[in-house]
Structures are given as structure tokens and as C-alpha cells.
Amino acid sequence: MSAQGDCEFLVKRARELVPGDLWAAKAWLITARSLYPADFNIQYEMYTIERNAERTASAGRLLYDMFVNFPDQPAVWREISVITAALRNDSQDKQTQFLRGLFETLPGRVQCEMLLKATEQCFNTLERAEMLLLLLRRFPETVVQHGVGLGETLLEAENIEDQESPVNCFRKLFVCDVLPLIINNPDVRLPASLLYKYLNKAAEFYINYVTRSTQTESQYQGSQDSSDLMSPSKRSSQKYIIDGLTEKSSQITDPWERLFKILSVVGMRCEWQMDKGRRSFGDILHRMKDLCRYISNFDSDAHAKYKNQVVYSTMLVFFKNAFQYVSNIQPSLFQGPNAPNQAPLILLEDVTNVYGDTDIDRNKHIHKKRKLAEGREKTMQSSDDEDPSGKARSRHIAVNKADLANSIEVLESFKLARESWELLCSLESLDKEFTRICLSWKTETWLWLRIFLTDMIIYQQTCEKVLDLMCYILLPIQEGGKVQEEQPKVKSKFRKGSDLKLWPCTSRAIMPYCLHLLLACFKLRAFTDNRDDTALGHVIVLLQHEWPRGENLFLKAINKICQQGNFQYENFFNYVTNIDMLEEFAYLRTQEGGKIHLELLPNQGMLIKHHTVTRGITKGVKEDFRLAMERQVSRCGENLMVVLHRFCINEKILLLQTLS
């Protein structure tokens, strides 16, 4: 019998004995190994018996012998592949734990060599990266040789695979696993340009990861239209898993903390002007403002260094606080439909003081005839009159505690984000670099950032587009689902330093706000030297809301009508149902009221031609007015909000034309 045949016989005999007499089987194999020490099958069979019996130490010794003596055997690499897979696996089952323990019994030098050679056996980029990452974590001294190469390989793979989002498996492994090993190893020398590149990649990844629900949705829903700003409630509630990674590997704890840690390490390596100890976002921003004051005094190299410090530090403070603000005012944007049902909040001009003077006590309300006589002797000031000193008040943002429990923190985030943006735009060099980064990140597709920028524009009083947006909210869609094709351009005018408020985006809150806003706009036209009966009529209709808060302003309107001697508003009987107002207008036509000529009926000018005129008085029109007034009194019990809503919808074109 040949030597090969003898070896096969001995192995076969040992296998037959394993189920009944394990020790006899091991004795056969020990004898066989003594006779044929260079035979791989004998040693592999010995290893198999020890592995199946889960004897960690003896299996480890045999694996070590096979790795040293038979490094080219496929069976050895299959076994090593199973072990390294267990090392990368998050599972805690018994077999996985045994394989990890088996690996730990090997000498450190052998572990390192085994992992390195196992890496060379991998042809899949992701698997190869995970294997090499295992090596770098266990043997930090290998980071110098392999760390940067692994990082560049992952970034290159991301480009080759043409990943749509920066939140992908390659970027995640680079940013969360490889990059900390590289930058925290003092023996790895990196040029500043590469550090800035890596910081940029990390910032883009973490910011997109934190705001991923918005990004994921946009991939499936396409571009967002303006209505999404008001109704961002339809979100994906599925567990977010990065393609190519497990669910556990896809979850990142404290992403902002990790990002600012990377910023700090990169800053120290690039020799920025760093402060010791942990600092708040406000402290960081204040430090960057100080640095900007004398940044132009540095030479070109120092200027470039500190420019990058200001840009990256301020930019991260900006994105962190802008996200903090938006995630609180519109939580459903990030949390999905199963989140607590909190209405989105929108930042708007606070026009609650549109009536001007203090409220009038209903119990002290007196008859219009006496009130009118007093009112005509008074000069009333509009609430929109600016401070005589010409100084604009600082803008204050109000919010109801019931709508936003942590309002102080949220408004502080808004303030820090706004100031960070202003700092980044304050110098041409900063603005240019910040713009370049935003373009490369495609921030124009970030819905949450558009929401913040909209609120910042409102705060900064760049209001040309704001009133258009409010008209869209108030007068959204006509019957049949068709939107008005062309609307007249609206000219906005707001007080300098006027206050703002975060309003819940609900019909209950927005409808009264829109009525206040329309009233504020029409007041500007109604009480100027130029006559505008249409604007004055709109004011009278809108003053019915919250009556009698606007009674003083109504008396100012009556005073203007008396000064004119006549008044024309053909929508009067369609929308004015307030009994006090009807009583006042009826009084104006009497001798005591001044015999004011009122054209309040539709097509009243045409009706005059069909009636006989006696002593200069149109008797038929007078009778029509009396009957119309009687009918109107019968409507006083109608739901006022329904009447005013109908006014906004039916007179949409007229309202916009009056404002144009």
C-alpha cells in the first residue's frame, strides 16, 4: 500500500471511530501524524475533531500549525474565512463566540498575518475594507501603513459605484471607522489639504445622515414644490438601513458629537487657534467672529489656514443649529407619520396688534350715534405708524408655550444659525468657500434647509416673496382643484423692527392670522391721502373679526367717509353682517348723520336710471337701500368666519388687485 493510501486509510478509520470512541479516533490520528507529519489531511481531520468538540485551545494550536505549514491549502482559507466572518459579525450565538475565542488563542503576530493575508483573498471591495478595518482596530501599528490607503480605496469605490447619496456603505465605513483611526494616530502624517478633504467628507455624511428622512423621501418623490413647506407630514416610517450594511452597522449614535470631535482633531493637526476644553456653540461662534476681525492681517498661508477654521467651524455651528430649529418646529419632517401629532410651526409677522388702540370693554359699549360724534373729533393713529424717532425696534419672536415647550432653546438655535450664516456671508473669501461647499453638497435639494432659510429671510425682512406665500396659504385652490394661473404681483410693506411669531400651521390659527395680515395691508392704503374706497371697504369687512377690538379703527373709517361726503363699495351687503356697523351706515344716510351718499348696492349707478328722482333724492334707490338693510339685519346670526372665508375666496382677484 502506498503512503497516500495509508494516510487515507488512517483518516477514514479515525472518522469511523469518532461517533463511538472519540479518544480512539484521536489516538489513530496522533499515530498517523507521527508517521506522516507532512500530510495535510491528517492534521485537518485532527483540527475538525477539536473544532466540533469546541475545544478552543487545542483547535487554535492545530489551526496555527496548518496556517504555518500549509498556507496554500484552500481548506485552511475556507476555515480562516469563517473565523474572520465571525469576527466581523455582530451576532452573539454560541458558534460565533467559539470562533472568536479560537482566533484569540493565536499569537498576535499570526493574527496580524492571518488577517492581512485574508484581506488579500477578498475581491469584494466592501468585504476587503471590513477585513482590513478589523486588522487596523486590532493592530493600531498597521494604521500607518494601511490606514490612508484604505480610506482612499473607500472614497474611490464610492465614486466608481456612483452612489446617489453620501450616506452609503463606503462613506460610512470611511467616516465612522477608518477616519478616526487615521487622524487620532500621531504617527500618521497628513497634509492639511487631505485633512480638509476628509473633514468635508465627514461633515457631508453626518449632516445628511441626521437629516436622512428628508433625503430618502426626495429620492422617491422627486423635487418638492412650495406646498411641501406647509404640509411636510408624509414621511417614511421604515427603519433606516444603509444599503450594504446590517441594521446595527447602519445606526450611528451621537452623530453631531462625532462630527465636532473630528473638527477638533483636524483643527489641532492644522494648528488652528483652538481653545482648551469643551465650548458651547455660542462660544465657538464668538471666537470665530473675533478671528474674522483680524484675519486679513495674516500672510497668505496663515490667512488660508484661519479662513478654513472660520468656514468649517461656523458652517458646522450653522447646520447643527439650523437643523435643531427646523426639527423642533416641524418634527414630522424627520420623525415620520407615527411621531406625536404636533402641528408644524411657521414663522410670520406678528400682526395681532393690527387694531392699534387697546381693546374696548364690551360692557362700556355705547350707541353709535354718540360714539360717532366723539370719534369725529379725535385723530386716531394707525398701529403701523413707525416710531417718531425713526429707530427700528429689535425683532422679537413670540411663541405659545403650548405649541413649543422648549421654545427658549429652539429660538436660541435659530439665533445662532442666523448669526452663523451672516458671519459666513460677511467676507468675500468666507462666502466664496462656503458657497463652493454648499454647491458640492447640493444643499439646494435639502427641504429642511429651505425651511430655515425662508424663516431667516422673513426675520431679515426680505419680504417680497412672503406675502405671495401668505396669499397661497389663505387662498389655496379653487373648486375643481385648479389653481389660479396668474396672480397680480403683491407689493409688501412691513414695519421696521416689527415682531414675529411662530404660528401653528392649522386652519384654526392661520385663518385669523390671514385676516389680520390682510387688514394690516389694506390699512396702509385705506387711510392715506389718496382715496381708495375699495381698500376702505375691505377694511370694514375685515374689522368684523374679533369685534369690537377694531371699533376705534372702524370709527376712523367712518370719519374718513364723512370727510369724503360719499362712499362706494358694492360688496357691502355681501359680507357686512355686524349689527353695529349696519346701524352706523344706516345712520350716515340720515340728516343727523350727514346725509352721506352711499353706493353699497351692486350696480347702483345703473339702478338710478330706472327710478324717478324728486328733489334730488333717488326715492327708488333709497327704498332699495332700506330693504337691503332690513335683509342684512336678518343675516346677523350667520357664522362670521364662514362669511369672511367666503369673502377671501370669492373676492380673491379683487383683493390681490387692490394690493398690487
Side-chain angles (χ1 to χ4, degrees):
M1 182 180 292
S2 65
Q4 182 66 29
D6 290 344
C7 291
E8 291 177 355
F9 169 77
L10 292 170
V11 169
K12 181 180 178 182
R13 180 60 181 157
R15 285 176 182 169
E16 292 173 350
L17 291 171
V18 167
D21 191 347
L22 181 62
W23 292 105
K26 293 175 69 174
W28 275 81
L29 289 173
I30 292 172
T31 303
R33 185 180 182 185
S34 301
L35 295 173
Y36 305 101
D39 188 87
F40 169 74
N41 291 327
I42 293 174
Q43 292 204 34
Y44 185 74
E45 192 65 28
M46 294 177 71
Y47 167 76
T48 302
I49 291 174
E50 297 302 313
R51 184 197 62 189
N52 292 341
E54 296 186 351
R55 293 188 176 91
T56 306
S58 55
R61 286 194 298 270
L62 290 167
L63 178 63
Y64 170 73
D65 290 340
M66 288 191 298
F67 179 74
V68 173
N69 298 319
F70 307 99
D72 298 325
Q73 285 290 338
V76 173
W77 287 107
R78 282 196 300 271
E79 198 64 29
I80 291 175
S81 177
V82 172
I83 294 171
T84 54
L87 295 175
R88 302 195 311 271
N89 195 349
D90 297 327
S91 175
Q92 298 297 326
D93 62 82
K94 186 177 180 181
Q95 179 65 15
T96 300
Q97 290 181 351
F98 165 73
L99 292 174
R100 291 174 187 159
L102 188 155
F103 184 80
E104 295 297 340
T105 64
L106 300 174
R109 176 185 57 80
V110 175
Q111 289 182 0
C112 182
E113 186 179 354
M114 186 178 289
L115 290 175
L116 197 55
K117 289 187 176 181
T119 300
E120 296 172 357
Q121 301 287 326
C122 299
F123 298 100
N124 178 278
T125 303
L126 191 60
E127 184 181 352
R128 180 184 176 88
E130 290 178 336
M131 190 72 72
L132 196 53
L133 183 60
L134 196 61
L135 172 70
L136 300 184
R137 284 173 173 166
R138 285 180 168 268
F139 304 97
E141 64 273 13
T142 62
V143 172
V144 176
Q145 182 180 355
H146 301 288
V148 176
L150 175 57
E152 291 296 327
T153 299
L154 288 169
L155 294 178
E156 183 181 355
E158 179 184 8
N159 291 329
I160 294 174
E161 295 290 335
D162 195 23
Q163 296 289 327
E164 294 182 3
S165 169
V167 183
N168 57 72
C169 57
F170 303 109
R171 185 79 72 91
K172 191 272 176 184
L173 286 179
F174 170 71
V175 170
C176 299
D177 302 306
V178 178
L179 183 57
L181 295 175
I182 295 174
I183 62 177
N184 287 303
N185 191 316
D187 296 326
V188 179
R189 307 296 181 182
L190 296 174
S193 59
L194 197 59
L195 286 168
Y196 292 137
K197 171 188 172 181
Y198 291 166
L199 175 58
N200 185 298
K201 295 291 185 181
E204 183 186 20
F205 171 80
Y206 278 123
I207 293 170
N208 276 273
Y209 177 84
V210 171
T211 62
R212 61 194 179 276
S213 60
T214 306
Q215 306 305 312
T216 303
E217 182 190 46
S218 65
Q219 293 176 9
Y220 296 99
Q221 294 187 356
S223 60
Q224 305 276 352
D225 59 27
S226 59
S227 63
D228 289 330
L229 293 174
M230 307 317 307
S231 303
S233 57
K234 297 180 179 179
R235 306 291 166 200
S236 172
S237 60
Q238 296 180 350
K239 196 79 170 180
Y240 188 80
I241 301 176
I242 299 174
D243 189 25
L245 300 178
T246 63
E247 179 180 320
K248 184 177 181 179
S249 298
S250 299
Q251 308 308 311
I252 303 172
T253 57
D254 301 322
W256 287 113
E257 182 74 20
R258 291 172 177 235
L259 177 54
F260 277 93
K261 177 63 176 176
I262 292 174
L263 176 71
S264 176
V265 175
V266 169
M268 288 188 291
R269 278 180 162 262
C270 293
E271 298 180 342
W272 288 354
Q273 292 188 8
M274 305 290 291
D275 295 302
K276 294 182 179 180
R278 184 182 180 88
R279 296 175 65 85
S280 67
F281 295 125
D283 292 335
I284 295 174
L285 184 58
H286 182 72
R287 183 73 182 87
M288 294 306 102
K289 288 179 179 179
D290 286 342
L291 188 55
C292 278
R293 292 191 181 101
Y294 52 88
I295 193 172
S296 59
N297 298 331
F298 295 109
D299 57 38
S300 58
D301 291 339
H303 181 275
K305 176 172 64 176
Y306 296 129
K307 179 198 70 176
N308 282 315
Q309 178 180 0
V310 173
V311 168
Y312 278 101
S313 299
T314 308
M315 180 179 68
L316 296 189
V317 171
F318 165 71
F319 282 121
K320 170 65 171 71
N321 285 279
F323 165 76
Q324 200 71 20
Y325 169 75
V326 176
S327 63
N328 276 277
I329 66 168
Q330 299 206 18
S332 60
L333 197 62
F334 305 97
Q335 298 176 1
N338 296 328
N341 187 21
Q342 176 182 328
L345 300 175
I346 52 176
L347 186 67
L348 298 168
E349 290 278 339
D350 188 357
V351 290
T352 53
N353 195 33
V354 68
Y355 301 110
D357 294 344
T358 56
D359 295 352
I360 298 173
D361 192 335
R362 292 177 180 270
N363 296 326
K364 296 181 180 179
H365 182 65
I366 58 176
H367 197 276
K368 290 296 180 298
K369 295 179 184 179
R370 298 211 316 268
K371 188 79 174 182
L372 180 64
E374 296 174 11
R376 289 178 183 171
E377 297 174 358
K378 296 179 180 179
T379 302
M380 300 185 182
Q381 298 293 329
S382 169
S383 63
D384 280 354
D385 293 340
E386 295 189 10
D387 189 332
S389 65
K391 296 181 180 179
R393 297 184 299 113
S394 60
R395 310 203 86 187
H396 170 71
I397 301 177
V399 58
N400 292 331
K401 198 72 174 178
D403 298 327
L404 192 63
N406 58 334
S407 58
I408 296 176
E409 293 83 356
V410 173
L411 294 181
E412 178 65 16
S413 294
F414 180 70
K415 174 177 176 289
L416 288 171
R418 192 182 70 252
E419 292 179 356
S420 300
W421 175 276
E422 292 169 353
L423 179 60
L424 289 166
C425 299
S426 62
L427 295 176
E428 183 180 357
S429 59
L430 304 181
D431 184 47
K432 185 177 180 180
E433 180 65 14
F434 179 52
T435 301
R436 183 190 68 79
I437 294 172
C438 288
L439 287 174
S440 66
W441 290 358
K442 300 179 181 179
T443 58
E444 71 277 3
T445 65
W446 298 358
L447 172 61
W448 69 271
L449 184 59
R450 297 209 309 269
I451 293 173
F452 169 80
L453 293 177
T454 300
D455 285 3
M456 186 177 68
I457 288 171
I458 292 173
Y459 184 91
Q460 293 174 338
Q461 298 179 314
T462 311
C463 297
E464 285 77 5
K465 296 182 179 180
V466 175
L467 195 53
D468 287 326
L469 179 60
M470 282 311 306
C471 290
Y472 183 85
I473 299 169
L474 177 60
L475 314 169
I477 298 177
Q478 296 177 340
E479 291 186 8
K482 296 181 180 179
V483 181
Q484 184 75 18
E485 293 183 0
E486 189 68 29
Q487 303 292 354
K489 294 295 182 181
V490 176
K491 297 179 181 178
S492 61
K493 182 178 178 182
F494 290 88
R495 288 181 300 162
K496 291 183 179 180
S498 55
D499 290 337
L500 301 166
K501 185 173 182 178
L502 282 167
W503 297 85
C505 190
T506 61
S507 58
R508 182 178 181 181
I510 292 300
M511 182 63 184
Y513 175 83
C514 291
L515 295 175
H516 287 153
L517 182 62
L518 287 172
L519 179 57
C521 294
F522 289 126
K523 278 172 56 181
L524 300 175
R525 293 178 173 273
F527 297 112
T528 60
D529 293 335
N530 298 325
R531 176 169 176 171
D532 191 338
D533 282 8
T534 302
L536 191 60
H538 293 339
V539 167
I540 292 169
V541 172
L542 294 167
L543 285 174
Q544 297 178 101
H545 177 54
E546 296 185 318
W547 184 264
R549 283 192 64 191
E551 186 171 7
N552 283 350
L553 196 56
F554 172 69
L555 291 175
K556 183 176 180 179
I558 294 298
N559 186 56
K560 184 174 178 64
I561 292 172
C562 291
Q563 291 174 357
Q564 295 176 177
N566 56 75
F567 176 66
Q568 180 181 1
Y569 186 68
E570 295 183 354
N571 274 320
F572 182 89
F573 287 114
N574 290 332
Y575 306 112
V576 178
T577 61
N578 182 284
I579 186 63
D580 295 328
M581 291 183 176
L582 295 175
E583 188 178 312
E584 197 66 78
F585 274 90
Y587 178 69
L588 288 179
R589 287 182 62 93
T590 65
Q591 187 73 30
E592 296 83 358
K595 297 179 65 175
I596 305 301
H597 180 66
L598 301 175
E599 293 186 23
L600 306 180
L601 295 167
N603 303 316
Q604 186 168 329
M606 297 294 295
L607 292 173
I608 292 176
K609 299 179 181 179
H610 297 88
H611 294 287
T612 303
V613 179
T614 304
R615 295 179 183 177
I617 300 175
T618 308
K619 290 185 177 180
V621 173
K622 184 177 181 180
E623 181 64 17
D624 290 341
F625 180 87
R626 186 186 65 80
L627 293 174
M629 190 63 74
E630 289 178 356
R631 287 195 301 270
Q632 204 67 4
V633 170
S634 67
R635 294 181 54 198
C636 290
E638 289 186 15
N639 187 313
L640 181 59
M641 292 305 289
V642 173
V643 173
L644 294 177
H645 183 267
R646 187 164 61 243
F647 167 71
C648 294
I649 299 299
N650 295 347
E651 308 306 326
K652 174 180 178 179
I653 297 176
L654 179 60
L655 292 171
L656 294 173
Q657 286 175 344
T658 308
L659 290 172
S660 62

